[in-house]
Amino acid sequence: MILDQLLNSPEEVINDSYKIQKILKILSKGSKRDVSKFYHSIRYKVFDWSKEFGKPQIAPIFEDIAGLYYQKALPNENPIKVIEQIHRDFDFLCKS
């Protein structure tokens, strides 16, 4: 339910650190498929969110979710390469 709330009503979630922590906890326990589905569903919304809420507010949330996604999608990958990929994803979404 809280995952849907982020997708449908981000204004109720983005500024609430408790809800963000709850989302991260849910995703950390989720399956690779579920985390992948959620990550890709927010990936294309982050650009609009960054305009609405500001990049400093969105960047940490997105990076945390992306980190969980890549941990599940590429469990044996070098952590530095994972971080580089997260930054490439974020750059792609936030270019104006």
Side-chain angles (χ1 to χ4, degrees), residues 76-89:
N76 299 321
E77 187 61 69
N78 179 330
I80 293 171
K81 288 187 179 195
V82 169
I83 291 169
E84 289 171 353
Q85 182 61 47
I86 292 168
H87 288 198
R88 279 193 297 273
D89 287 355

Side-chain angles (χ1 to χ4, degrees), residues 42-61:
I42 68 158
R43 218 175 144 219
Y44 298 102
K45 294 182 180 213
V46 171
F47 180 74
D48 292 334
W49 292 349
S50 69
K51 285 182 174 180
E52 185 176 345
F53 302 104
K55 288 180 187 179
Q57 188 68 24
I58 298 302
I61 298 165

Side-chain angles (χ1 to χ4, degrees), residues 2-17 19-20 23 45 48-49 52-53 57-58 61:
I2 192 142
L3 301 178
D4 290 335
Q5 189 178 18
L6 177 61
L7 293 170
N8 300 321
S9 306
E11 64 281 352
E12 296 176 15
V13 178
I14 288 178
N15 293 316
D16 187 333
S17 61
K19 288 182 180 179
I20 294 300
I23 286 171
K45 294 182 180 213
D48 292 334
W49 292 349
E52 185 176 345
F53 302 104
Q57 188 68 24
I58 298 302
I61 298 165

Side-chain angles (χ1 to χ4, degrees), residues 3 19-40 42 60-76 82-83 86 89:
L3 301 178
K19 288 182 180 179
I20 294 300
Q21 291 304 315
K22 192 170 181 181
I23 286 171
L24 296 175
K25 186 175 181 179
I26 290 168
L27 292 175
S28 70
K29 294 179 181 181
S31 70
K32 177 181 169 182
R33 182 175 156 256
D34 291 339
V35 173
S36 177
K37 182 179 173 184
F38 183 74
Y39 173 72
H40 289 292
I42 68 158
I61 298 165
F62 177 75
E63 287 181 328
D64 288 344
I65 293 171
L68 289 170
Y69 163 71
Y70 282 110
Q71 284 176 10
K72 296 212 182 241
L74 306 169
N76 299 321
V82 169
I83 291 169
I86 292 168
D89 287 355

